[in-house]
Amino acid sequence: MFVAAGCTSATPPPIVPPTNQLDGTHWRLKIIFRRIADDIYFDDSLVTHYTLNFGANYTVSGVGDCNQFSGTYRFGLQDTIQLTDLHTTLIGCPDPNTEELYFTGLSQAIEYRVDTDEMLVYCPGDHVWQLYFYRF
């Protein structure tokens, strides 16, 4: 005797993308660390007004000493991030300024960590960069 059983296919649960914890957040730069050889470079003299804003649709914007920037960002696995298509205004800044250091660090960002109201952006490149932000 042959018994046929009904086949049912379970509907797989919907894939829910991870929550974008950066969407709509606004950050102010607190510290830039840059490792050159074994020395730590620190400059907080002109970074009090530097910002990094994460907008809707994975857009990013902010300001440095004299210029504004905008672009997009995307996430990778775990806590990886990449800021892409960064464009800046081209106003000349008086010396000394830290803007070039800041923009270079952002363009090389590969990883981030958020802890409540603080964020660390890790940026390896020619040197090792760490940008520390606080939420405002």
Side-chain angles (χ1 to χ4, degrees):
M1 172 188 252
F2 179 75
V3 177
C7 295
T8 62
S9 62
T11 304
I15 297 173
V16 178
T19 302
N20 180 350
Q21 66 179 346
L22 297 179
D23 187 21
T25 60
H26 306 279
W27 303 89
R28 190 170 307 277
L29 184 64
K30 182 176 181 180
I31 299 171
I32 297 176
F33 281 109
R34 181 175 67 160
R35 181 176 294 280
I36 303 174
D38 288 327
D39 297 326
I40 301 279
Y41 171 83
F42 168 79
D43 187 339
D44 68 345
S45 61
L46 295 172
V47 298
T48 57
H49 57 276
Y50 285 37
T51 61
L52 178 61
N53 307 303
F54 293 93
N57 299 319
Y58 297 93
T59 58
V60 64
S61 64
V63 297
D65 280 325
C66 309
N67 291 287
Q68 300 177 14
F69 69 90
S70 63
T72 58
Y73 68 99
R74 63 179 172 223
F75 297 112
L77 299 174
Q78 296 178 353
D79 294 329
T80 61
I81 191 169
Q82 183 179 19
L83 280 65
T84 57
D85 301 321
L86 292 180
H87 302 282
T88 66
T89 56
L90 300 174
I91 299 171
C93 292
D95 289 330
N97 76 74
T98 329
E99 183 177 274
E100 185 175 343
L101 190 67
Y102 178 53
F103 290 165
T104 300
L106 289 175
S107 70
Q108 296 176 356
I110 63 162
E111 187 176 340
Y112 76 101
R113 297 219 190 318
V114 174
D115 182 19
T116 312
D117 289 333
E118 295 183 342
M119 178 174 61
L120 165 67
V121 176
Y122 178 72
C123 322
D126 296 335
H127 309 288
V128 176
W129 306 80
Q130 292 177 343
L131 307 174
Y132 290 86
F133 296 86
Y134 64 93
R135 191 185 307 255
F136 74 99

